[in-house]
Amino acid sequence: MKYLSKFILILATGVLLANCSGTYKVKHDLNKSGAVKETPKWYVKYDRETMFKFQESGTAVSPDMELAVKKAVLLAKAKLLDRVTGEMNNQTTIEKTEVGDNEDLTATSSSKDVIVNKIEDTIAQGYLVTKSEIFMTKHKSYRAYVLIEVKKSDLNI
């Protein structure tokens, strides 16, 4: 009886360890035409700001899985910092020119609207990837979806 209980304990421990040491499964996100079928629900709907933290999602594609994840994280960080510390500047220029004689003038006009979005240098240390999913595309690339969060106290704002 004593040996049976030890055997069961060792067997249960082995099963638990085997379940923890699996690989991450890459999902397929395309239908017959090669278009993306779905995105993770958390990628679109999440709390962007709570009392103590900011969250942001990002996605990127690359033939290299690690690069897809890194690009998605960088995009999420850029979106988050743009939301927190971004400054928007808009400049509109309208120009009218008249050419010709006094009675026979031809007017030309042009306009230009320039929007400048500047993100101040901000340190986003302590960010954490809280969710991620990786999909295989039709062209054998990887599409990574990530959700990051940063504590408000960790931002240099």
Side-chain angles (χ1 to χ4, degrees):
M1 189 72 168
K2 181 178 176 183
Y3 295 111
L4 182 61
S5 63
K6 283 185 180 182
F7 177 74
I8 291 174
L9 181 63
I10 291 172
L11 182 65
T13 303
V15 169
L16 286 174
L17 287 175
N19 285 333
C20 294
S21 66
T23 58
Y24 186 81
K25 183 177 180 185
V26 175
K27 302 173 183 177
H28 293 275
D29 72 341
L30 33 117
N31 59 23
K32 290 180 183 177
S33 69
V36 174
K37 283 195 290 190
E38 61 184 50
T39 59
K41 290 181 182 177
W42 55 261
Y43 175 74
V44 179
K45 187 177 180 179
Y46 55 92
D47 292 330
R48 285 169 170 62
E49 182 177 356
T50 65
M51 185 181 294
F52 299 107
K53 66 183 176 186
F54 293 108
Q55 287 186 310
E56 192 57 68
S57 63
T59 185
V61 176
S62 176
D64 181 72
M65 185 187 308
E66 183 67 23
L67 187 56
V69 173
K70 284 183 178 184
K71 287 176 11 181
V73 169
L74 284 174
L75 288 170
K77 285 172 55 177
K79 285 169 50 179
L80 187 143
L81 294 176
D82 178 37
R83 183 165 31 99
V84 174
T85 65
E87 296 178 9
M88 181 101 15
N89 184 339
N90 189 12
Q91 177 181 348
T92 303
T93 305
I94 300 173
E95 183 180 314
K96 288 192 175 191
T97 306
E98 294 180 349
V99 178
D101 296 333
N102 288 340
E103 298 292 324
D104 187 22
L105 294 175
T106 304
T108 60
S109 65
S110 64
S111 63
K112 181 168 74 170
D113 193 24
V114 178
I115 298 173
V116 178
N117 184 18
K118 182 180 178 188
I119 302 173
E120 292 291 325
D121 290 342
T122 307
I123 297 173
Q125 63 189 21
Y127 75 89
L128 179 67
V129 177
T130 56
K131 293 185 181 182
S132 67
E133 287 191 43
I134 301 171
F135 292 85
M136 180 70 75
T137 67
K138 177 181 181 181
H139 302 290
K140 304 295 186 215
S141 289
Y142 299 96
R143 174 174 297 278
Y145 294 92
V146 298
L147 183 68
I148 66 166
E149 73 177 39
V150 177
K151 293 179 186 174
K152 289 182 177 181
S153 60
D154 288 343
L155 287 179
N156 181 21
I157 55 174

